[in-house]
Amino acid sequence: MYKKICLAGAVILLSACSQYRPGIVSQTITQTFSSQDAKIDSSKVSSVPYASMSLKVDDGPLAFIVLAWNENHIQKWLTADSKMVATQNGRIIKTIGFPDNLLAFESSSPDPLANPLTIQEGQQWKAQTQWKSDSFHAASVTSRFHWAGTQDFTIVGNTRNYRLLEEQVSSVGDGATYTQRYWVDAQTGQVVHSEQTLHPHGPVWSLTLLKPYS
């Protein structure tokens, strides 16, 4: 019950501040895609009048998510069943409605992903994360960035070559380590695809940008 109340409150808050109406956004997704194993092609992406991404958590179904709110460089994306993923500079910073939720991801210094093409080999960054997986957890993490060459990647039938950025993350508390990967447009610096682990021991979230916000 508590989870349902929190999710409903988040959607109401989103409605009050958003450039779109989340109810209309969710209805658009439902009418265009199934919430489970969505078949995504260029015609369907074009038919949706909002920025969009695909989302896959570990080996779960592929979901189509749509931008419902963009403010202060934070994008909030909705699924057809009103789950929410918040991103900033391509990084997931909060989720609502999932079994394993990221509650907060913050740092006292700017995220290097704000301008990934300026990231230097071996550059470090520190942040704090909070999440709920059965119970509340928090950790301080340290990131070290590494450019891993280039790689072809296909988005709705269009294959291009992108720079591959790896972020090797370690948890200060228990020493857990994991690697995030970002496919970066070499011209614009935009993160077009990523594989992110939201906290130590968490699942891998795969995000692909289908239609950018403009």
Side-chain angles (χ1 to χ4, degrees), residues 120-142:
Q120 301 297 310
E121 180 67 27
Q123 183 173 332
Q124 295 190 48
W125 184 59
K126 295 182 178 181
Q128 296 75 44
T129 180
Q130 300 176 9
W131 70 95
K132 187 174 182 181
S133 179
D134 296 327
S135 60
F136 174 84
H137 302 271
S140 295
V141 296
T142 299

Side-chain angles (χ1 to χ4, degrees), residues 14 17-29 45 48-54 63-80 83-90 190 207-214:
L14 199 60
C17 305
S18 98
Q19 61 171 333
Y20 305 132
R21 293 177 59 188
I24 293 177
V25 170
S26 294
Q27 183 180 25
T28 300
I29 303 172
V45 171
V48 176
Y50 309 116
S52 59
M53 292 198 294
S54 66
F64 181 78
I65 61 177
V66 165
L67 182 65
W69 180 29
N70 181 77
E71 185 177 73
N72 297 326
H73 306 292
I74 295 176
Q75 295 80 44
K76 294 188 176 182
W77 309 80
L78 285 180
T79 67
K83 295 182 177 69
M84 190 272 286
V85 177
T87 63
Q88 187 172 33
N89 305 311
Q190 187 169 46
L207 279 176
T208 302
L209 183 63
L210 304 174
K211 180 190 290 186
Y213 172 76
S214 58

Side-chain angles (χ1 to χ4, degrees), residues 116-173:
L117 296 180
T118 66
I119 292 175
Q120 301 297 310
E121 180 67 27
Q123 183 173 332
Q124 295 190 48
W125 184 59
K126 295 182 178 181
Q128 296 75 44
T129 180
Q130 300 176 9
W131 70 95
K132 187 174 182 181
S133 179
D134 296 327
S135 60
F136 174 84
H137 302 271
S140 295
V141 296
T142 299
S143 296
R144 183 186 296 272
F145 293 90
H146 165 65
W147 287 105
T150 63
Q151 190 174 97
D152 287 347
F153 189 77
T154 303
I155 302 176
V156 287
N158 183 23
T159 301
R160 289 182 55 192
N161 190 255
Y162 298 96
R163 295 188 69 184
L164 179 57
L165 177 66
E166 293 185 346
E167 179 185 11
Q168 298 162 347
V169 187
S170 60
S171 173
V172 176

Side-chain angles (χ1 to χ4, degrees), residues 4-5 65 149:
K4 290 182 179 178
I5 292 172
I65 61 177

